[in-house]
Amino acid sequence: MKASDRTESPRTSAPSVPDDRCGYVFEAGDSLSTEGDGCCLREAWDGKDRCKWHLDADKADVLREDDFRDETNLVGGVFRGSVLSGGDSLAGRRFSSGDFSGSDLSGVDLSEADLGGANLANADLRDADFTGANLRGADLTDANARGATFEDANL
């Protein structure tokens, strides 16, 4: 695949990246914890033009709990339609500007997570723990957050 075949990045100043790498460029300054820009250099997933985190697709059958084990910085990730319920811990991870629309995050520990600007519209957030999480600018339209904990969260 040629670099010119890549999906457009949200920014036009994307650095040159090898064809087998994701190349997703994000504004890390949108997060409360960092400044500047970043570029994802993870391997492109399954012959696609992006890694599995930044591939613009429904993730219902793609992501599993084990996928998150070594990942902490998932800024701009696409998790749309994923099912991550059942008490998984995603505490302290960076998901700013991520797309969780229509996802099932019921019972998930997202304490201290950075979800600033994330899309959580129509997500199932029942009994999730957002203690100390950053949700500034997050879209919670039609999300079901019954029983969720938002103690000390930045809303």
Side-chain angles (χ1 to χ4, degrees):
M1 174 187 315
K2 297 180 285 191
S4 61
D5 293 336
R6 290 188 176 278
T7 304
E8 282 297 312
S9 172
R11 297 189 36 99
T12 57
S13 59
S16 177
V17 295
D19 288 345
D20 65 339
R21 298 294 165 172
C22 177
Y24 178 86
V25 176
F26 54 90
E27 291 185 42
D30 288 345
S31 167
L32 289 179
S33 56
T34 63
E35 294 181 14
D37 293 339
C39 178
C40 179
L41 295 175
R42 291 180 185 93
E43 281 189 48
W45 184 69
D46 198 27
K48 309 289 190 215
D49 65 343
R50 297 279 187 223
C51 69
K52 66 181 160 186
W53 305 109
H54 294 116
L55 185 65
D56 188 13
D58 189 296
K59 302 292 176 63
D61 298 321
V62 175
L63 299 178
R64 302 286 180 251
E65 179 183 358
D66 288 347
D67 292 332
F68 291 91
R69 181 162 290 136
D70 297 321
E71 299 289 343
T72 58
N73 185 357
L74 296 166
V75 173
V78 180
F79 309 96
R80 187 174 49 247
S82 59
V83 178
L84 301 171
S85 62
D88 295 341
S89 179
L90 302 176
R93 292 188 168 74
R94 293 183 59 221
F95 296 112
S96 54
S97 302
D99 181 0
F100 287 93
S101 58
S103 294
D104 183 352
L105 299 170
S106 57
V108 174
D109 179 3
L110 287 155
S111 59
E112 302 296 326
D114 184 354
L115 291 153
N119 181 356
L120 295 159
N122 299 302
D124 184 350
L125 309 176
R126 289 174 297 147
D127 300 313
D129 183 0
F130 293 97
T131 301
N134 172 32
L135 291 155
R136 186 180 69 178
D139 181 357
L140 295 163
T141 304
D142 294 326
N144 181 353
R146 186 176 40 231
T149 303
F150 292 94
E151 185 175 336
D152 295 323
N154 181 357
L155 300 170

